[in-house]
Amino acid sequence: MGLLPMDLDILPPSDDRVFKLILTSPEAKPGLIKLIAGVIGRNVLDVVVHNNELPPGDTEEKAERFDVNCKIDDGSQINLEMQASHIKEDLDGHHNNLKGKSVYYLTDLHSSQPSRGVRRYDRLARTYQVTFCSYTVFPNLPENYVNSFSLRHDVTGELLSDAVHVIFVELSKLGEIMKKPVKEMTVLDKWAVFFQYAQDPRYRETVNRVIESEEVLTVAGELLMSISQNERERAIFRSRRKFQTDYASDMATAEDNGRRIGRAEGRAEGRMEIAQNALRKRIPIEDIMDITGLTREEVEQLARSPQSCIEK
C-alpha cells in the first residue's frame, strides 16, 4: 500500500498545491508531526493546522496562498511553504527576493501574536518559516540541504533570540542523500526524497523503498496517488503550469519589444499586461505576485480597473 506504480503518471509533490493537499489531509497528521520535528530538530507531540481549508477546486476560482500554517504542542508557530518555481530575481544570484519573501512571512506571523492576547514580548511563541525549495539558494553551502537562520550578533555570533527562525530546505541538493542506504536516511531525508523525486519514474524504485520504510510516507504515497488520479486536480495542475509557461513567453516578447522603447519600460508594461490577462482568467493574486514580481497593491489596483474585467 502507498507504493507508486512504475507506469503511473504522478503529479509532483514539489508543486505547492499538491504539497498542501498532502500535508493538510487529516490522515497525514502523524507524517506532518514527523516532518516538522525533522526540520526544527526537536521532538513534536502534536500539531494543529490553522489554514486547513483547501484551495477551491475550480481552475477559475480564486485561491489563497498554498502554505501550511500550524502550531505544535509547545505553542511554536510553523509555516511550511513549497517554492517549486523560480521567482523573479536580480541577476546577481543571491536570491534576495525569495529570502525577503520568507522573512516577510516570518515577521508577519510572529508579530500577529500580541493581537491574539499575548501581552509580554518575552512570552511570545517561537515562529518558524520553513521554505522547501526545488532549486539551489545557497550554492556556497553545497554540503547543507537544510539551512537555518536566527538572530545573532554580526561579529561574535552570540544569540540574541531564538524566537524566530528562517529555514530553507533545498531539495536540489539531495545527491549525497540519494547515495545513502534507505536505512541510514533520517526521516527528513526521506520526506525530502519523496517531495523531490516521487514524480520521476527514473527514481521510482528508490522512492518506493523510502515509502516502505516509514508508515507516514506510505500514507503520503496513497494521498499522492489519489491526487494524481483526480481529473480535477490534474486540470488545475495543467492550468497553473500553462499560466507559468504563458507568462515566460509573454515576458520574453515584452522584453524584445522593450528594446525599442527602453528595456525597463518594456518589462514594466509587460508585467502589467500579463497580470491583467491573469486576472481575467481568475488566476489567484498570490500566483500573479510570485510570477510577475508585482506587489499585492499593484495587482489589486489592476483588479479594480475596467481592463481587468473577469472572464465568465
Side-chain angles (χ1 to χ4, degrees):
M1 295 294 290
L3 298 183
L4 307 178
M6 298 299 294
D7 59 347
L8 184 63
D9 184 15
I10 299 290
L11 293 181
S14 59
D15 175 78
D16 49 2
R17 179 183 171 89
V18 178
F19 174 81
K20 178 169 182 172
L21 285 167
I22 291 172
L23 294 183
T24 58
S25 298
E27 55 266 47
K29 181 176 178 177
L32 180 59
I33 289 174
K34 285 196 170 186
L35 175 61
I36 292 172
V39 171
I40 70 175
R42 64 173 64 183
N43 192 35
V44 177
L45 301 177
D46 194 20
V47 62
V48 176
V49 178
H50 288 308
N51 60 341
N52 199 28
E53 301 82 5
L54 296 180
D58 195 302
T59 57
E60 293 187 349
E61 290 184 49
K62 292 179 67 175
E64 299 302 319
R65 276 179 15 206
F66 296 110
D67 52 1
V68 180
N69 182 260
C70 39
K71 181 176 287 189
I72 60 176
D73 49 277
D74 69 354
S76 296
Q77 304 179 109
I78 319 286
N79 192 63
L80 304 170
E81 180 191 27
M82 177 63 74
Q83 185 68 49
S85 57
H86 288 67
I87 66 175
K88 290 298 179 181
E89 300 279 3
D90 292 332
L91 300 178
D92 57 14
H94 293 160
H95 300 284
N96 288 328
N97 202 17
L98 174 62
K99 296 172 187 175
K101 174 185 175 183
S102 297
V103 171
Y104 179 83
Y105 286 174
L106 172 77
T107 54
D108 181 54
L109 182 59
H110 192 67
S111 64
S112 69
Q113 291 180 79
S115 64
R116 297 174 183 172
V118 177
R119 296 179 180 274
R120 287 184 51 161
Y121 293 115
D122 61 343
R123 294 181 182 174
L124 292 172
R126 291 188 183 92
T127 304
Y128 297 83
Q129 169 61 39
V130 181
T131 301
F132 291 83
C133 194
S134 63
Y135 57 92
T136 299
V137 182
F138 303 98
N140 58 321
L141 300 171
E143 303 301 320
N144 301 334
Y145 81 92
V146 181
N147 291 290
S148 179
F149 302 85
S150 57
L151 297 175
R152 293 185 177 274
H153 191 282
D154 288 347
V155 177
T156 67
E158 180 181 353
L159 181 67
L160 172 67
S161 172
D162 68 348
V164 292
H165 298 261
V166 177
I167 302 174
F168 293 90
V169 182
E170 297 172 275
L171 301 176
S172 57
K173 293 181 178 179
L174 299 181
E176 292 303 312
I177 301 300
M178 291 293 284
K179 296 176 184 177
K180 287 183 180 181
V182 171
K183 64 181 180 180
E184 295 181 11
M185 293 182 184
T186 67
V187 173
L188 180 56
D189 291 343
K190 294 173 183 178
W191 270 109
V193 168
F194 176 79
F195 288 141
Q196 182 71 350
Y197 295 113
Q199 83 284 358
D200 193 333
R202 295 174 299 174
Y203 300 97
R204 191 75 36 97
E205 289 186 7
T206 300
V207 170
N208 279 336
R209 288 198 297 270
V210 165
I211 289 173
E212 282 185 308
S213 71
E214 293 283 343
E215 184 178 352
V216 295
L217 282 167
T218 299
V219 173
E222 291 172 349
L223 288 168
L224 179 59
M225 282 193 290
S226 176
I227 294 166
S228 297
Q229 293 171 325
N230 184 301
E231 287 303 318
R232 172 171 283 184
E233 288 302 327
R234 297 190 70 84
I236 293 170
F237 178 79
R238 289 193 298 268
S239 176
R240 296 177 69 232
R241 283 293 180 264
K242 181 178 183 298
F243 170 63
Q244 293 172 340
T245 303
D246 288 350
Y247 170 78
S249 176
D250 290 348
M251 203 63 206
T253 302
E255 289 179 4
D256 289 342
N257 292 336
R259 292 189 180 96
R260 292 193 298 272
I261 61 176
R263 183 180 297 272
E265 182 181 349
R267 286 179 176 173
E269 289 184 359
R271 284 197 295 268
M272 293 295 184
E273 182 178 350
I274 292 163
Q276 286 177 337
N277 290 337
L279 285 165
R280 295 188 191 104
K281 297 176 182 178
R282 297 181 184 267
I283 298 296
I285 284 179
E286 290 291 343
D287 283 356
I288 298 172
M289 290 167 57
D290 281 350
I291 295 175
T292 65
L294 296 175
T295 66
R296 177 177 290 278
E297 182 180 0
E298 288 171 328
V299 177
E300 289 179 345
Q301 184 176 355
L302 281 173
R304 293 190 292 268
S305 68
Q307 293 88 344
S308 300
C309 293
I310 295 173
E311 291 179 354
K312 301 297 183 184

